[in-house]
């Protein structure tokens, strides 16, 4: 038998243990091992029933995702694949009890559903998350799940990909018993009880498959929801088709249809991109020059300076993770305002069912408002979130240097400022780091972690680890202007404004990028964030602009008219009292007038040009960042854009998207734009190099790290 699967005995009960750490994925050898064990169990007359269990921290977390690349290249699954194994289990004449803990996901749940019974520990999660990888279940999940859980729940689980917990799974009929205490002992006991019962095959349990009338309503609603909530994604619709097949066709035919849809999805660009994202989210946690076992600093208490929108949100994030936090403001009115905002945000979370009132009350108790630095000496980590100005930040850091204990991490939530200069105001730059949260901090998943020249390895490792604890995805970046995300966003927005100045409408630019999959168009984002923010920065840095190089002007002109965006009721759009955007013909007229004054010729602009100008501006800057070493890998940039800037996950991020288009094509287009628009479009040397060599960003590693 394969080393990955062990067969042991407890009296008349056989125990099959799947042992493929870390998550017992169904890698080559595992299905074969289970099959062999079932064969022996079937033959052995002394065995009355069997238990299948996962060794280590979990049951089976699904197919081995690394294997998908091989399948895409046309290779047959090693062994016979999963479907015959699941039939073999279901057809076994002795009851097979699946004993589940941790997670039973994807192929793991499919395996479990082929058993005759399922028992699970209370914290177990069960789900068909395949759509999150751009595929559909491929081993009968869409056919067996509706037979156990009913059509409505099965379609929701397969199309949305979210797991259910054991208690819900029990109510739904996916599992038969919850085992408190030792799982194996409980499962063996359960197996003894059912040993003499006739086996029941999930594939033959048709009672929950509903009527055509009921089902048509369910499928129509599911398709509607998928088009809205998973806009642009193909797998959720395919998953719904597959579950629908379960309700209309015999089991075997349903499985064939599922298999067809699985293969179609697996070969799509979307699944390639989403699998890149799956591994990317894990890869960004790996920092090549920091050993895995570097000591970290325990963070059991924290402090935040500044109770504005960002500071308040950061305090909530820390409290949500159970970390007590001091929240300091300069005056009582600002502190009260900050706390009121925190309470309001929590109340909204309770209203939306995200948190219970009890949870919120506990979290609020962890946030201690203060006007002084008293108590800061206890904090293991302080996050500064005051107004974005160097002088003020330096003043705060020199104060923190005086009051904080040795070994405390001093983090700045700056989004643009030089972290080394901030660190220079302390006597301990090795403990200073940038933590760039995204607004609203309690919602957005991204945390850009900025490594200063002197930031210590343990400080970086602790902050990366803390990001995970806070439910964030931490990405380490170097200390350059705007860091990675905002540095790239700048040329992206610049091009969107140029396009409007050259004759495109505001709506056309935004719609093109929205249809591409962005959460919002760039101009609508400007209105949301406030056009005045960039305007003020540009005014401050005007002296740095190179004479003769075109600068976007229409956004600034709107600001001069008091149109700052949503907060003033008008920006690129007008806004009603519910902040809904309304097209404003006045903006078009104004921009046409300003363009005429500036001598910018007007023309028809295609959606292709809008897309290429905006997206390749992003990519070209990303390439520079990569070659300069401010991001460790292209995937780090991708993860930043997916989690902080609304880039569609099914396109894999800007650099992955560029690889999908091809570096040669991107380079040619950038050169064309350079000929038309001048030096702002000078191709990044790395882009030129990859294009010449026919290589991908995904394979590039910077020679020097982000500390460069
Ligand atoms: C499927 O099943 C299709 C079917 O319908 C059958 C078709 C025939 N494969 O996340 P972690 C690695 S599709 C390969 O840090 P956690 C992961 O990369 C699959 N590798 O741990 C990481 O490696 P490294 C459906 C996998 O405790 C390490 O394991 N299933 C797989 O935070 C630890 O992972 C899913 O989509 C895999 N399936 O979370 C579930 N899973 O250390 C995907 C993990 O080198 N997995 N790895 O970076 C998860 O959601 C989480 O890993 C899980 C544990 C919740 C299980």
């Amino acid at each position: 038998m394969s080393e990955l699967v062990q067969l042991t005995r407890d009296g008349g009960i056989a125990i099959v243990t799947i042992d493929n750490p870390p998550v017992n994925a169904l890698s080559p050898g595992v299905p074969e091992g289970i099959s062999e064990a079932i064969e022996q169990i079937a033959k052995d007359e002394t065995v009355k029933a069997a238990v299948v269990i996962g060794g280590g921290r979990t049951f089976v977390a699904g197919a081995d995702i690394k294997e998908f690349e091989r399948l895409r290249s046309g290779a047959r699954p090693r062994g016979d694949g999963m479907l015959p194994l699941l039939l073999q289990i279901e057809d076994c004449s002795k009851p097979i009890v699946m004993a589940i803990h941790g997670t039973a996901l994807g192929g793991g749940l499919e395996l479990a559903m082929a058993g005759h019974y399922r028992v699970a520990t209370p914290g177990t999660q069960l789900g068909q998350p395949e759509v999150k990888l751009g595929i559909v279940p491929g081993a009968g999940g869409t056919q067996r799940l509706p037979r156990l859980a009913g059509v409505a729940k099965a379609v929701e689980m397969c199309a949305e990909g979210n797991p259910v917990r054991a208690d819900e799974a029990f109510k739904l009929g996916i599992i038969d018993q919850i085992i408190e205490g030792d799982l194996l002992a409980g499962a063996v006991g359960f197996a003894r009880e059912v040993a003499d019962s006739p086996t029941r095959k999930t594939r033959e349990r048709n009672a929950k498959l509903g009527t055509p009338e009921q089902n048509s309503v369910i499928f129509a609603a599911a398709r509607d929801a998928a088009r809205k909530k998973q806009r642009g994604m193909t797998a959720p619709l395919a998953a719904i088709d597959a579950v629908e097949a379960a309700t209309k066709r015999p089991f075997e035919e349903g499985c064939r249809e599922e298999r067809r849809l699985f293969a179609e999805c697996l070969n799509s660009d979307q699944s390639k991109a989403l699998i890149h994202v799956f591994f990317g989210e894990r890869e960004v946690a790996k920092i090549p020059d920091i050993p895995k076992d570097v000591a970290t600093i325990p963070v059991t208490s924290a402090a935040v300076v500044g109770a504005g929108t960002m500071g308040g949100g950061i305090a909530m994030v820390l409290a949500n993770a159970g970390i007590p936090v001091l929240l300091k403001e300069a005056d009582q009115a600002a502190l009260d305002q900050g706390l009121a905002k925190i309470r309001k945000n929590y109340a909204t979370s309770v209203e939306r069912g995200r948190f219970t009132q009890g949870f919120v009350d506990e979290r609020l108790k962890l946030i201690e408002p203060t006007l002084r630095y008293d108590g800061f000496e206890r904090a293991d980590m302080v996050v500064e979130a005051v107004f974005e100005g160097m002088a003020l930040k330096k003043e705060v850091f020199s104060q923190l240097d005086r009051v904080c204990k040795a070994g405390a991490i001093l983090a700045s939530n700056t989004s643009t400022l030089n972290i080394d200069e901030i660190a220079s105001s302390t006597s301990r730059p090795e403990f200073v780091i940038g933590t760039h949260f995204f607004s609203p901090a309690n919602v957005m998943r991204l945390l850009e972690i900025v490594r200063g020249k002197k930031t210590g390895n343990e400080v970086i490792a602790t902050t990366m680890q803390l990001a995970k604890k806070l439910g964030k995805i931490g990405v380490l970046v170097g200390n350059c202007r705007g860091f990675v995300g905002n540095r790239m966003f700048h040329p992206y927005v610049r091009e969107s404004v140029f396009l409007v100045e050259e004759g495109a409408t505001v709506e056309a630019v935004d719609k093109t990028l929205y249809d591409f999959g962005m959460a919002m168009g760039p101009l609508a984002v400007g209105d949301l964030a406030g056009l005045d923010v960039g305007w003020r920065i540009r005014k401050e840095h005007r002296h740095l602009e190179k004479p003769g190089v075109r600068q976007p002007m229409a956004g600034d002109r709107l600001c001069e008219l008091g149109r700052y965006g949503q907060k003033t009721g008008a920006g690129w759009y007008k806004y009603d009292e519910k902040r809904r955007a309304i097209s404003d013909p006045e903006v078009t007229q104004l921009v046409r007038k300003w363009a005429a004054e500036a001598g910018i010729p007007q023309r028809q602009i295609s959606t292709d040009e809008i897309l290429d100008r905006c997206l390749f501006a992003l990519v070209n800057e990303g390439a520079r960042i990569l070659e300069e070493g401010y991001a460790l890998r292209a995937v780090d940039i991708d993860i930043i854009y997916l989690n902080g800037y609304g880039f569609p996950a099914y396109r894999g991020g800007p650099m992955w998207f560029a690889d999908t288009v091809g570096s040669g094509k991107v380079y040619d287009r950038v050169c064309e734009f350079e000929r038309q628009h001048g030096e702002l479009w000078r191709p990044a040397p790395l882009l030129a190099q990859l294009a010449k060599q026919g290589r991908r960003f995904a394979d590039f590693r910077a020679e020097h790290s982000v500390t460069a």
Side-chain angles (χ1 to χ4, degrees), residues 549-627:
V549 175
R550 182 179 168 192
Q551 295 296 330
M553 48 96 180
D556 292 356
R557 293 278 178 88
L558 289 175
C559 288
E560 285 160 18
L561 298 174
R563 299 181 69 123
Y564 293 174
Q566 290 195 18
K567 60 183 158 191
T568 56
W572 291 108
Y573 298 88
K574 283 189 291 196
Y575 292 88
D576 66 13
E577 62 293 342
K578 288 195 168 148
R579 290 207 172 190
R580 275 180 303 222
I582 303 161
S583 300
D584 190 351
E586 200 190 326
V587 170
T588 315
Q589 281 167 16
L590 284 168
V591 178
R592 298 292 160 261
K593 182 169 144 272
W594 296 330
E597 286 163 9
I600 302 170
Q602 301 294 291
R603 61 199 170 84
Q604 284 283 329
I605 297 180
S606 68
T607 50
D608 277 356
E609 181 177 346
I610 295 175
L611 269 186
D612 291 355
R613 292 261 304 265
C614 293
L615 295 174
F616 295 164
L618 206 54
V619 171
N620 200 34
E621 195 63 31
R624 270 187 227 289
I625 287 174
L626 205 54
E627 74 198 14

Side-chain angles (χ1 to χ4, degrees), residues 59-257:
F59 189 70
V60 173
D64 185 338
I65 303 169
K66 291 189 212 92
E67 277 286 293
F68 288 162
E69 201 45 55
R70 235 176 42 78
L71 290 180
R72 269 195 205 113
S73 59
R76 283 182 57 75
R78 297 202 174 108
D80 286 337
M82 283 292 287
L83 282 170
L85 167 67
L86 303 187
L87 291 178
Q88 183 195 1
I89 294 172
E90 219 169 26
D91 288 339
C92 182
S93 60
K94 297 168 189 177
I96 296 181
V97 179
M98 298 289 172
I100 312 167
H101 71 299
T103 48
L105 298 175
L109 180 55
E110 291 171 310
L111 170 70
M113 290 192 294
H116 304 113
Y117 298 94
R118 282 150 297 281
V119 298
T121 55
T124 303
Q125 306 233 22
L126 303 100
Q128 298 286 173
E130 287 87 343
V131 287
K132 299 196 178 188
L133 301 171
I135 54 174
V136 299
T142 60
Q143 309 301 300
R144 286 193 178 86
L145 191 56
R147 289 175 159 86
L148 291 177
V151 176
K153 194 66 197 181
V155 86
E156 180 194 311
M157 286 174 69
C158 293
E160 295 181 10
N162 298 323
V164 293
R165 288 175 65 90
D167 49 353
E168 192 184 352
F170 176 69
K171 282 188 209 133
L172 289 165
I174 302 174
I175 59 173
D176 302 289
Q177 197 174 91
I178 294 183
I179 306 263
E180 308 275 352
D182 186 69
L183 175 65
L184 181 59
V188 168
F190 185 95
R192 284 209 173 91
E193 277 173 34
V194 296
D196 296 323
S197 319
T199 54
R200 28 174 224 172
K201 298 176 187 173
T202 306
R203 68 175 193 266
E204 290 173 0
R205 294 168 63 179
N206 295 336
K208 288 190 177 177
L209 287 181
T211 64
E213 294 72 34
Q214 292 163 336
N215 290 341
S216 66
V217 179
I218 293 171
F219 291 123
R223 289 191 172 99
D224 231 32
R227 287 196 185 98
K228 282 195 196 109
K229 287 200 254 172
Q230 293 146 292
R231 182 170 57 91
M233 286 181 66
T234 49
L237 294 167
I240 298 167
D241 290 348
V243 179
E244 190 169 31
T247 65
K248 292 192 166 158
R249 305 187 195 182
F251 179 81
E252 291 70 22
E253 268 185 41
C255 284
R256 263 201 299 281
E257 177 61 1

